[in-house]
Amino acid sequence: MMKQIDIGTCIPGSKALEWVPPMIKAGYECVALNFHMTTDGIEISELAPKIKGILADSGVYVASIGFYCNALQFEDHQRTLEHFIDCAHLFDTNIVSTFAGGLEGQSVEDSLPKFKEVFGELCRRAEDKGVKIAIENCPMGGSWRHVTCNIGFNPRAWEMMFDAVPSDALGLEWEPGHQMIQLIDPLPQLKQWAGKIYHIHGKDASIDMEEVRRLGVFGAVDFAPQRTPGFGDTDWRSVFSILHQKGYEGNICVEGYHDPVYHGDWEMTAQLHSLNYLKWCRGGDFTPNPWAK
C-alpha cells in the first residue's frame, strides 16, 4: 500500500529543546533538526535522548539531522559530518543532510576530485551505519564557475557527483524553490530524479519574469524570492502525485524563515498555513475504505 507522506518542519538544532514542543502542539508530524557550519557547542549525542524524551508518546519523530557545511575545504567539518553519521541512530533516523561542499571561487569541475575523495569516504561510513546522505540542492550564492560551499545545486552537477561516488548512500535533499531561482522547472526534474531524493524541504519560490526581462538574473533584483509553500508558484498537488507514483516513502519538512512577506511576527502564521496547505495537497489524512477488502 502507498505510504502517507508526513509533513514536518525544520528546526535549528540550537533551538530544538525550546522549539520542538510547540511544533508538536501545532500538529507537525515530524521534525528536521539542522545545524549550519557549526554545532553551536552542542554535543548531538547528548541532545538525542533529550529530543526523544520530548517526542515520546507524541507520534512525532525526527525525520533527519542536518549539518550544512563545506567538508571539501574544512577537515573539522568532515569530522563533524562523520559524527552526525555515527549519531543518526540515536535520533531514530537514517537521514543526514548536508551540502556537497566546494572549493570556494573555483568551478564545479575543479571541486569534483576533492568531492570524490571526501564523499567516497563519507559514503563508505554511511553504508556501514545504514545511513543515507542527502545533499541539499541550494546554490548558496554560488555559480557553476564560482562555487561557494555547495556544488550540489544543479542536475548537471548531480550527474557528475553520482558518477564520482556511485553509492546508494548518496542522494538529494530536494526542494523546488532552489531550482526555480535557476529558472528550472521543478516538476519534470522531480519525475527524473525522484529515485535519488531521500529528503524534501517544503520551500517554494515566486518567479517574476517581468523583472527578469527588465533587469536580468545577475542580482540587480530578487526575481525569485523564496516562499513558504502555499504562497509560491509550485503545484504541490502535482509534487505529491509524482512522489507517490515514484514510490517516495519519506516526508516533506517545511523550511520557513525565508518568506519576504510572512516573516518575523508572521512566521508561525505562515508555517501553520503551509502545514495545512501541504496536508490538503496530499489529500488530507489517510481514510480506510468503508467497504470490505
Side-chain angles (χ1 to χ4, degrees), residues 72-149:
L72 304 197
Q73 282 201 290
F74 303 106
E75 187 175 342
D76 60 316
H77 287 193
Q78 182 179 350
R79 299 286 87 81
T80 301
L81 199 50
E82 290 171 353
H83 188 52
F84 271 62
I85 292 168
D86 293 346
C87 290
H89 73 283
L90 300 177
F91 293 86
D92 293 329
T93 185
N94 70 333
I95 302 293
V96 172
S97 52
T98 189
F99 293 148
L103 303 182
E104 188 164 354
Q106 299 186 45
S107 70
V108 170
E109 289 96 342
D110 291 338
S111 300
L112 278 170
K114 189 66 175 180
F115 174 84
K116 181 175 183 178
E117 173 192 338
V118 171
F119 275 84
E121 181 180 331
L122 289 169
C123 284
R124 285 189 289 273
R125 193 184 200 95
E127 290 167 358
D128 290 342
K129 302 290 183 179
V131 167
K132 302 288 190 182
I133 300 173
I135 303 295
E136 188 178 12
N137 60 339
C138 179
M140 288 302 294
S143 66
W144 191 269
R145 292 179 177 83
H146 298 89
V147 302
T148 56
C149 56

Side-chain angles (χ1 to χ4, degrees), residues 228-255:
T228 310
F231 298 111
D233 293 347
T234 298
D235 179 358
W236 286 91
R237 292 173 299 174
S238 293
V239 169
F240 280 100
S241 293
I242 293 167
L243 290 173
H244 281 308
Q245 289 166 359
K246 297 295 185 178
Y248 179 73
E249 294 192 346
N251 42 68
I252 296 176
C253 290
V254 174
E255 185 184 358

Side-chain angles (χ1 to χ4, degrees), residues 149-160:
C149 56
N150 188 26
I151 64 172
F153 63 86
N154 185 277
R156 183 180 165 204
W158 304 341
E159 293 173 355
M160 295 175 173

Side-chain angles (χ1 to χ4, degrees), residues 25-91:
K25 186 176 180 180
Y28 286 103
E29 296 162 333
C30 55
V31 294
L33 306 180
N34 298 332
F35 295 86
H36 186 86
M37 299 297 174
T38 175
T39 60
D40 299 306
I42 294 171
E43 172 48 59
I44 61 167
S45 64
E46 297 174 3
L47 177 64
K50 297 175 184 177
I51 293 296
K52 289 177 70 174
I54 293 172
L55 297 178
D57 302 320
S58 70
V60 179
Y61 60 94
V62 176
S64 65
I65 56 172
F67 182 58
Y68 300 92
C69 63
N70 191 347
L72 304 197
Q73 282 201 290
F74 303 106
E75 187 175 342
D76 60 316
H77 287 193
Q78 182 179 350
R79 299 286 87 81
T80 301
L81 199 50
E82 290 171 353
H83 188 52
F84 271 62
I85 292 168
D86 293 346
C87 290
H89 73 283
L90 300 177
F91 293 86

